[in-house]
Amino acid sequence: MIRHAIRLAATCSIVALSQAPVAAFADEAATNAAATDSGESAPIIVTATKRETDLQKTPIAIAVIGSADIEKQHVQSLIDLASGSVPSLRVATFEARQSALTVGIRGIVPFDANQTARDQGVGVYLDGVYLGRQQGLNAALFDVQRIEVLRGPQGTLFGRNTEGGALSIVTKAPTGQFGGRVEAGIGNYGQRTGEAHIDLPEFHNISIKVDGVYQHQDATTKNPLAGQTGFNYYDRVGGRIQAQWKPVEGFTANISFDKSRDDNTPMYSQLINYNPKGLRVATLAQIAANGGKLPSGTIAPLSPLVHVSGDKRMKTADIGVPQQPSVDRTQGVMGNLSYDLSPDLTVRSITAWRQVDTDQYDNSGGAHRTVFLPNTKFSRYSLSFLDQHQFSQELQLVGSLPQVDFVAGAYYYNEHASEYAATPSSNLWNSDGTGYTTLSPNVTGKVNSNNQGWADDSLFLQRNSRAKAQSIAAFAQATYTPAGLDQVHLTAGGRYTHDKRDGVLDIVNGATVNYGFRYRKDRFDPMVTLAWDATDDVNLYAKYATGYRAGGANDRSQTFDAFGPETVKSYEVGAKMMFLDRKVRLNLAGYIMDRDGTQVDFDNVNTDPSSPYFNLHTQETLNAPGTTKIRGIEAELNVHPTNNLTFGASYAYTYTRVPKTLNPFLSTAANPVYQNVFIVYTPPHAASGFIDYSVPVGSGDESVQFHLDAAYSDRQYSFEDENVKAQSSFIVNGRIALADIPMSDAGTSLTVSVWSRNLLNETHIYRLSNANASTLGAYGNFNPPRTFGVEGVVHF
């Protein structure tokens, strides 16, 4: 009771983000009512070039997601983008875990950046601050004003690890006027939510804003073990306070502190089929005669307790396993200073310190990823404990001269990360698979690979690593508009970066070792864009840009093996067009990207309970030879025919081909094996659409609002070294709201809504592996089931 009281008192915000790019038009139309008298859309302002510009006149492929769209789709965290509502943007769990997210754009999608010395290929930014780890990305974000999805390399202005693009989250600043909103809601699966976003009146040139949220959902797949948490559970709480100080005209200082906690469990891993290769099934007598091991050329029998699910999502797990929530703790302090040296010259400073602590507990495999043998252990409990903290400082000089707009700056980034991990088994079979016992988290005697638990003093460490990274950069970019040719704009820029990273791996499979790596790299990323305003409403551009993803080392390898950076060159053409008195927006982009040094992961997990290396996960990362080809086309159509109707659609086609790469687990010095490898979570075809319709009621601003959106994705790979595609998906979300009901003459209003995510309760496997086809069968993870609820929002 006290725990929940503290949470409610500290209620804080985790507004995260998801909406199709087409919905940006709807959001702007909703929030700029004055511009819609004739059905014309208001301009959408973005900051992708470090200055405020009109989306339609910015020669970058950008999707903009507004706060109203987040509300319409009932988006609560970044994982909700996994539905595919932004076709070129892909978000997925790492493994089955909500505690770490994979983010990709335009086929630049890492498989495993969930380590101390690895990075993603798409940068995630919060108010201009780079977030360095996959862990913590699903934690609290606060009162989002807009999200800019920048597609294509952003190496010049954003720097390292933006070869696929950037996800830039911009939150709302204090207004200096008393006001805000309070929200509360309930839904199925025990959902309950509460939010508060409050602006306080300005006092002595200081404005303060407080944000808070609490979000909870019970498990969607139950765990039959009493006292243990089920799967796809979350419980999130966090808060932020920010102050804005304007002591003199032209100077603004924004200081903020945020802190969040996200308790969550993984998605359940189900056994999709058994013995797909039709191998001879060993009998218990044959296993006993062979010393407790499988005879050659056979597959283990299946326990009668294990359920083969096929294409159906399980509501209750067949085997009860210990499962406690993973815990992600994030916090940070940021200072953003801006001073106008003159009407045409501004200097800015962005200083930030952030920290992520993650305690990972993943027992989602149960008996679905481990071979059955009599009286042996099973259910691999994957534990990882990561601590990361980072400091960054960016200086910007933004200005204008006759015919020239420019930005120049310098950047410094410093990061320290450490992690240790263990993989004990949590359960024990009886002699014939008709029963099992749950092991103790504590063990007696000497801890070793055959005698380990999951209590702190019983961990047998598979690995322990630490790494530090430092990046220093200088950049400049200028746009020149020739006198007398106001419709032509030439932009050129470049960024020089010096990266260095060092690390140590000092434990491997319980043994003390001393493997280190040292990485140094200088890099220059140029960008050139030629833009032409064919008319006031038709803007064309051609762009060349580069980007890179830093090199590092794989702490899942046995020797902390290092790998080099991957680099990309991008050639893009685009058109941004408005028609029919700006009631129709059509944006098109086509691109060619050539990537060298593609970082490819090869995995090997020992699933044999008779092996001394049972549960050991080994991974090696190699740079693919040759050039990876990535090609794509993107289209976004938005139509606003009347004041109360908006609809639109988006489409992305993506082609990828990675050169065959050496598989270190199958190769020998005399017989190297090169195999096909694949880019994960990148469907060849993806599309989304939405429709918004409102009906005025009453004599004031009240209205009934209807929203429906849908997203389709082709089948796609989910493992780089497996020629296996997961299933296609078609997700529909909906919302009906009675909005802006007046509650007082002071402007207080109430909005009540009913909502549903995955309205049709569509079921698909988003992550599928055949790695155990010869020993057990394929396993997969399913998308979340239909959720629905009711919500009330008071604006004041």
Side-chain angles (χ1 to χ4, degrees), residues 143 173-180 197-201 207-210 796:
D143 208 9
T175 65
Q177 297 179 344
F178 181 73
H197 308 282
I198 300 173
D199 273 293
L200 300 179
S207 304
I208 293 177
K209 184 173 186 289
V210 180
F796 56 92

Side-chain angles (χ1 to χ4, degrees), residues 122-139:
V122 170
V124 180
Y125 293 81
L126 176 61
D127 288 329
V129 176
Y130 173 67
L131 306 180
R133 295 292 98 205
Q134 280 187 313
Q135 292 91 339
L137 289 184
N138 210 30

Side-chain angles (χ1 to χ4, degrees), residues 246-399:
K246 293 183 176 181
V248 296
E249 185 176 354
F251 178 79
T252 302
N254 281 296
I255 310 296
S256 66
F257 171 75
D258 65 85
K259 189 171 185 178
S260 302
R261 176 178 171 127
D262 177 14
D263 293 20
N264 60 81
T265 59
M267 311 298 287
Y268 190 52
S269 294
Q270 300 182 197
L271 185 62
I272 307 304
N273 55 47
Y274 168 67
N275 194 13
K277 294 188 175 182
L279 300 175
R280 181 168 56 89
V281 180
T283 65
L284 296 179
Q286 290 172 332
I287 294 173
N290 197 44
K293 299 182 179 181
L294 282 174
S296 177
T298 67
I299 193 171
L302 191 66
S303 162
L305 302 180
V306 174
H307 176 66
V308 179
S309 66
D311 291 339
K312 295 184 179 180
R313 184 192 299 112
M314 295 176 67
K315 296 181 179 180
T316 302
D318 46 10
I319 302 291
V321 298
Q323 177 66 70
Q324 64 190 86
S326 297
V327 181
D328 299 328
R329 293 171 290 267
T330 62
Q331 61 179 321
V333 180
M334 185 180 72
N336 190 327
L337 311 180
S338 177
Y339 180 59
D340 296 333
L341 298 173
S342 73
D344 296 319
L345 188 63
T346 300
V347 61
R348 300 175 186 152
S349 170
I350 303 174
T351 307
W353 173 88
R354 297 202 64 82
Q355 181 175 11
V356 176
D357 290 306
T358 296
D359 298 342
Q360 169 198 299
Y361 298 92
D362 179 0
N363 208 358
S364 60
H368 298 163
R369 297 175 61 177
T370 306
V371 174
F372 163 74
L373 289 177
N375 302 310
T376 59
K377 298 176 182 179
F378 72 99
S379 197
R380 181 179 186 268
Y381 205 176
S382 179
L383 315 178
S384 169
F385 304 93
L386 176 136
D387 174 75
Q388 182 260 8
H389 53 90
Q390 64 178 69
F391 172 81
S392 61
Q393 172 64 59
E394 182 169 357
L395 297 174
Q396 301 172 7
L397 188 65
V398 182

